[in-house]
Amino acid sequence: MCGLVGYVGERPALPIVLEGLRRMEYRGYDSAGVAVIVDGKLQWAKKKGRLEVLEAELQTVDWPSGVGIGHSRWASHGEPSDINAHPHSDCNGHFMIVHNGIIENFRELRAELEAKGHRFSSQTDTEVVPHLVEELYAGNLEQAFLGAVKRLRGAFALILVSDLHPDRVLAYRQSSPLVVGLGDNGNFVASDIPALLPYTREVYLLEDGELAVVTAHEVRVMADGKEVEKEVFHVDWDPLAAEKGGYEHFMLKEIHEQPQAVLATAAAYLNENSVNLAELGLTEQAARSMQKLTIVACGTSYHAGLVGKYVIEDLARLPVEVDIASEFRYRKPVLKEGDIVLVISQSGETADTLAALREAKRLGARVWAITNVLGSSVAREADAVLPTFAGPEIAVASTKAYTTQLVVLTLIAIHLAQLRGTASNEELAALVAAVHNLPALLEEPLQQQDRLQQLAKTLTTHEDIFFIGRGLDFAGSLEAALKLKEISYIHAEALAAGELKHGTLALITQGTPVVCLLTQSQLREKMESSIEEVAARGGEIFLFDTMGDGELERLANWRLPLSPVHPVLGPVLAIIPLQMLAYFVALERGCDVDKPRNLAKSVTIE
Ligand code: F6R
């Protein structure tokens, strides 16, 4: 979603604001804008298109001032255009606002303000805010801002600057993330931590309903009219982790980081031969009396949940429901006091997932969370948190978050199986050993770049590609198809291989590309039959398998043999070459890999 940034201090604000936007461009990139107070007056610039367009526009300006705000937009209300780009202002240009989220009641507010004579210039929901502030302003900026915020319904993070109070920037959070960065001789506000990393590691994480009043030498946080004592959160990321580090794209870098990310995540929860998930606070009795586990997530994290279902049901003999967060919330989920809901979210800020978490808690469930962002809303609101240690994931297409989520889900399955006595010690020890060996194994597909690049050239002209697999490979296929479609814009559809003949086989004709995943040896024969069905219709078979023998050669038009791996971990290994394939197909098609059209990282609106 949109990236917000604000600075007030002794350094020129404009370069800091632009650098912050550059580091958060993954949050939105259809237009960008800045506002800076120069010689006591607000100046602004906003342009449709990528940040470079705005930067080019700003090349000749001389704005030395130390107060400014900026925005990179992912359009929700109103098409991407110069006029709809943020910041937005009141009638007289004294109050400028940047916003992330949705103001649900903006139509009625706009009608009310227009009736009072306010003139609007954009189609956005945001523009009501500066006009409301203008309407309510009687000398006290904080009061007018809070008065305006009180009128808003929805989810929003807002940053306000005014030339009537040129020493400050105000920020308010309601269900959309905001952090305040504490610097020397200057302080910052942003919607995401990477924007602040070049300047500070000490931040305040704002909670819903909190107003931050930020000046060069002081940050005050207020809620319900009282000052709040905030704890400083220390960001311990390596700042270079949020840079491209010599790779052409963040996505390629993040694909290559997977062995390390998996190692770090496994190491956090594994001793030599046992799993330590004490954080969950689960006793043997509680584990044995569990009736079901509900997993809730969106997108790639949802796909991880589907893999988790197969693994947990298999090892822990516990029924697992997996729900799309946006569905869970509105379908009256059947949960009772004490049930466990596991939410999965890389960012920890996805609005649908957060809403599902809150709904689960409202129904009396205990919530466990797997998230990659400590300090995120999900991490703060869950009852127990199992972080993934993937480091910052910047590319919009999720890669290392997914594989590390799969590792944590596997460890949860082992933990539950141990407590419930549903798998033998030998079986579980073999799996723990396989998790230890996994990082080394994940290096192998990374060496296949040349072959995958060649394959990408042959797939690039297709408009439909199918992915099939059985069991865990079906869940893996869903993720592989999502990767391809979101960054290359090729229509990709994943199916349980056994389902093909119930309809979709009608679409398989001479030359239709079908990517087949086979990491589950117990399903090998069944999968071979499905592949034969496709081949008999002239489909072209691209096989990724871990069967460790040459016999499958004859079945496939193209094959990537992967090292044999414990079947539970098959999806972790198999997704890596498929992520790379998606990456190279997208490159071949000239797509902007890290910033696919219409998408944004961290979807903070419902
Ligand atoms: C796809 C992708 C999205 C996210 C989804 C949930 O590559 O990244 O589908 O997985 O928006 O995001 P999180 O995990 O941050 O809740």
Side-chain angles (χ1 to χ4, degrees):
M1 297 294 106
C2 308
L4 314 182
V5 63
Y7 173 73
V8 44
E10 293 178 2
R11 299 163 64 175
L14 187 60
I16 292 177
V17 167
L18 288 173
E19 178 64 11
L21 293 182
R22 191 184 66 72
R23 288 167 177 269
M24 283 191 303
E25 228 192 339
Y26 55 85
R27 292 185 70 93
Y29 32 84
D30 58 43
S31 46
V34 293
V36 172
I37 300 177
V38 188
D39 297 331
K41 284 240 81 61
L42 269 168
Q43 303 287 347
W44 62 90
K46 42 196 211 168
K47 290 305 274 180
K48 177 182 168 180
R50 296 288 162 94
L51 188 58
E52 298 93 84
V53 183
L54 175 72
E55 282 175 323
E57 171 97 356
L58 288 168
Q59 241 163 22
T60 52
V61 305
D62 178 22
W63 292 350
S65 124
V67 190
I69 59 174
H71 188 268
S72 59
R73 180 168 188 245
W74 181 88
S76 64
H77 291 68
E79 56 170 17
S81 67
D82 289 358
I83 285 183
N84 287 338
H86 297 212
H88 288 285
S89 110
D90 61 311
C91 301
N92 296 306
H94 287 310
F95 307 100
M96 295 215 81
I97 291 267
V98 289
H99 164 221
N100 175 32
I102 288 184
I103 295 161
E104 289 166 2
N105 57 336
F106 81 97
R107 281 192 189 80
E108 59 201 69
L109 291 172
R110 183 169 175 149
E112 177 190 319
L113 288 158
E114 278 175 337
K116 288 185 172 152
H118 289 263
R119 298 176 313 279
F120 283 72
S121 52
S122 78
Q123 300 156 306
T124 63
D125 52 343
T126 306
E127 202 184 342
V128 296
V129 189
H131 288 282
L132 271 175
V133 175
E134 179 178 40
E135 184 64 29
L136 297 169
Y137 182 73
N140 184 320
L141 189 65
E142 283 87 319
Q143 251 173 31
F145 188 40
L146 283 174
V149 158
K150 242 191 232 144
R151 299 287 319 274
L152 310 178
R153 244 189 4 251
F156 43 86
L158 297 163
I159 305 181
L160 165 71
V161 66
S162 168
D163 55 16
L164 304 176
H165 299 262
D167 65 332
R168 64 197 52 206
V169 161
L170 305 189
Y172 187 89
R173 172 191 159 129
Q174 185 60 54
S175 298
S176 285
L178 265 185
V179 291
V180 176
L182 309 170
D184 292 330
N185 302 323
N187 293 304
F188 309 79
V189 193
S191 43
D192 213 349
I193 288 171
L196 307 179
L197 284 180
Y199 315 108
T200 180
R201 305 291 200 82
E202 312 297 318
V203 303
Y204 290 155
L205 305 168
L206 292 189
E207 302 285 348
D208 285 355
E210 285 182 346
L211 164 76
V213 181
V214 181
T215 61
H217 300 289
E218 189 190 36
V219 176
R220 280 185 305 127
V221 178
M222 327 278 291
D224 297 327
K226 293 192 206 82
E227 192 138 347
V228 180
E229 191 78 34
K230 293 295 284 184
E231 230 176 84
V232 175
F233 180 86
H234 178 76
V235 181
D236 56 10
W237 294 347
D238 173 358
L240 292 178
E243 303 276 352
K244 278 192 206 143
Y247 287 91
E248 197 181 341
H249 293 99
F250 278 112
M251 183 179 178
L252 189 61
K253 171 177 179 255
E254 289 163 7
I255 290 172
H256 279 269
E257 283 172 346
Q258 289 178 106
Q260 176 54 35
V262 162
L263 179 73
T265 303
Y269 303 109
L270 269 185
N271 304 327
E272 180 60 23
N273 32 22
S274 65
V275 173
N276 179 359
L277 291 180
E279 166 68 16
L280 298 182
L282 206 57
T283 61
E284 195 173 306
Q285 196 199 352
R288 284 179 192 265
S289 61
M290 276 174 78
Q291 301 295 313
K292 70 166 177 179
L293 175 69
T294 304
I295 299 181
V296 187
C298 301
T300 289
S301 298
Y302 167 74
H303 292 157
L306 291 175
V307 173
K309 171 184 169 73
Y310 279 94
V311 178
I312 294 167
E313 289 188 341
D314 177 15
L315 292 177
R317 311 306 305 144
L318 177 69
V320 179
E321 276 178 22
V322 191
D323 237 313
I324 294 169
S326 55
E327 290 294 310
F328 175 85
R329 188 179 173 198
Y330 296 109
R331 71 166 180 80
K332 298 194 187 151
V334 183
L335 281 180
K336 58 178 184 356
E337 192 77 27
D339 277 356
I340 292 180
V341 171
L342 169 61
V343 301
I344 308 175
S345 175
Q346 185 284 127
S347 61
E349 299 292 353
T350 300
D352 287 320
T353 307
L354 198 53
L357 178 159
R358 289 174 181 159
E359 177 64 4
K361 287 187 89 165
R362 194 186 66 79
L363 293 168
R366 180 173 159 77
V367 175
W368 299 347
I370 298 176
T371 181
N372 195 39
V373 182
L374 278 173
S376 62
S377 302
V378 162
R380 282 181 283 165
E381 293 189 30
D383 298 301
V385 182
L386 301 178
T388 47
F389 292 89
E393 192 181 64
I394 307 290
V396 166
S398 182
T399 53
K400 58 180 180 169
Y402 173 73
T403 41
T404 52
Q405 286 164 354
L406 296 191
V407 169
V408 176
L409 285 159
T410 303
L411 301 181
I412 291 176
I414 296 173
H415 184 58
L416 287 170
Q418 262 163 354
L419 292 173
R420 290 165 63 87
T422 47
S424 70
N425 287 342
E426 296 71 45
E427 200 181 338
L428 297 180
L431 182 50
V432 168
V435 175
H436 278 301
N437 292 335
L438 188 60
L441 217 53
L442 299 185
E443 297 283 356
E444 290 179 18
L446 296 173
Q447 312 308 321
Q448 298 295 329
Q449 181 153 328
D450 292 348
R451 284 202 71 205
L452 292 163
Q453 232 165 336
Q454 282 309 315
L455 176 59
K457 287 190 203 311
T458 70
L459 291 179
T460 177
T461 52
H462 287 275
E463 285 308 323
D464 300 285
I465 300 184
F466 294 88
F467 289 75
I468 59 171
R470 285 176 181 262
L472 282 172
D473 292 329
F474 165 46
S477 304
L478 288 164
E479 175 56 12
L482 177 63
K483 285 291 89 87
L484 184 69
K485 73 181 132 189
E486 71 180 322
I487 59 170
S488 77
Y489 319 142
I490 292 178
H491 167 244
E493 185 174 343
L495 293 123
E499 261 307 277
L500 254 188
K501 56 187 175 295
H502 297 290
T504 309
L505 199 56
L507 297 178
I508 308 294
T509 56
Q510 197 62 38
T512 308
V514 181
V515 176
C516 306
L517 272 70
L518 175 50
T519 68
Q520 306 298 299
S521 46
Q522 77 284 11
L523 295 169
R524 175 173 177 162
E525 282 181 16
K526 294 286 171 210
M527 190 60 196
E528 283 178 8
S529 308
S530 304
I531 294 175
E532 299 278 11
E533 284 165 16
V534 173
R537 273 82 191 171
E540 233 180 304
I541 310 291
F542 302 92
L543 178 61
F544 294 73
D545 71 273
T546 57
M547 292 303 105
D549 61 51
E551 282 174 37
L552 293 166
E553 212 64 56
R554 69 169 179 86
L555 270 183
N557 300 80
W558 185 98
R559 177 180 179 222
L560 186 76
L562 297 162
S563 290
V565 61
H566 192 297
V568 162
L569 302 174
V572 189
L573 181 62
I575 197 64
I576 289 183
L578 290 160
Q579 294 165 342
M580 288 169 76
L581 180 63
Y583 173 80
F584 289 121
V585 172
L587 271 195
E588 282 294 322
R589 289 167 67 97
C591 302
D592 189 341
V593 176
D594 282 340
K595 301 186 202 106
R597 71 180 176 213
N598 305 342
L599 301 179
K601 192 106 184 137
S602 189
V603 185
T604 53
I605 59 167
E606 278 183 50

